[in-house]
Amino acid sequence: MPVYNPEPDFLRSAVDSLLAQEHEEWELCMADDASTDPAIKPLLKELAASDPRIRVSFRSENGHISAPTNTSLEMSRYPYSTLLAQDYMLTPDALAQVAPHISNLPGAAVLYSDEIIIAQERTDIGPDCKPGWDSALIYGQNYVSHLG
């Protein structure tokens, strides 16, 4: 999870959605991208202290979205990773739905799912139903996105 000056309530909701997962074998690697909000560092430390599966790295300079994403991926101890945005929430069964596919498709390079888009006001905008894999379409449209 790349982090930069998140809305604290949204960040807590994102982390809470991970803590509520039915599938418990996960880790959250958070890379703070030199947030300028003084409340963020203590919040990240608090979240990391709340569960041993949560790890935080503090970058000394802002690298925009790519650098903290790469820092987070470098921290991972698992063979599969998903990018979780600082304001993204998972349904309680999200990882439980993905885990069997990882086990049943050991050579898979990419897994992705449909998603529901929720507005900032926490209202449901609607589903984003993704197509089956299309090696030509992926060049023109990023449909892997979340949860990928």
Side-chain angles (χ1 to χ4, degrees):
M1 177 186 289
V3 176
Y4 181 74
N5 290 336
E7 170 62 44
D9 289 342
F10 288 172
L11 179 61
R12 283 186 188 278
S13 291
V15 173
D16 287 347
S17 78
L18 201 53
L19 291 168
Q21 289 300 298
E22 295 168 7
H23 182 82
E24 297 182 350
E25 188 178 347
W26 54 263
E27 70 178 347
L28 174 58
C29 301
M30 304 171 83
D32 178 68
D33 198 28
S35 289
T36 56
D37 181 343
I40 300 306
K41 190 170 190 173
L43 173 57
L44 292 173
K45 287 181 177 183
E46 172 193 328
L47 292 170
S50 73
D51 191 293
R53 297 171 293 181
I54 300 174
R55 299 171 40 223
V56 179
S57 173
F58 295 97
R59 297 177 40 77
S60 60
E61 64 182 76
N62 184 272
H64 307 285
I65 191 69
S66 298
T69 297
N70 289 334
T71 299
S72 296
L73 290 169
E74 290 166 2
M75 293 168 63
S76 178
R77 296 177 285 206
Y78 283 86
Y80 284 89
S81 296
T82 188
L83 303 178
L84 184 63
Q86 64 189 24
D87 59 354
Y88 186 69
M89 295 184 308
L90 299 171
T91 59
D93 66 338
L95 298 181
Q97 294 290 325
V98 173
H101 296 287
I102 291 173
S103 298
N104 294 334
L105 301 166
V110 176
L111 299 169
Y112 61 97
S113 69
D114 295 336
E115 61 184 304
I116 296 174
I117 309 298
I118 298 177
Q120 189 168 351
E121 299 78 28
R122 304 290 171 109
T123 56
D124 183 345
I125 292 177
D128 181 6
C129 299
K130 312 221 179 122
W133 181 255
D134 184 315
S135 58
L137 181 61
I138 194 67
Y139 283 107
Q141 175 184 348
N142 176 14
Y143 55 83
V144 172
S145 189
H146 302 111
L147 173 67

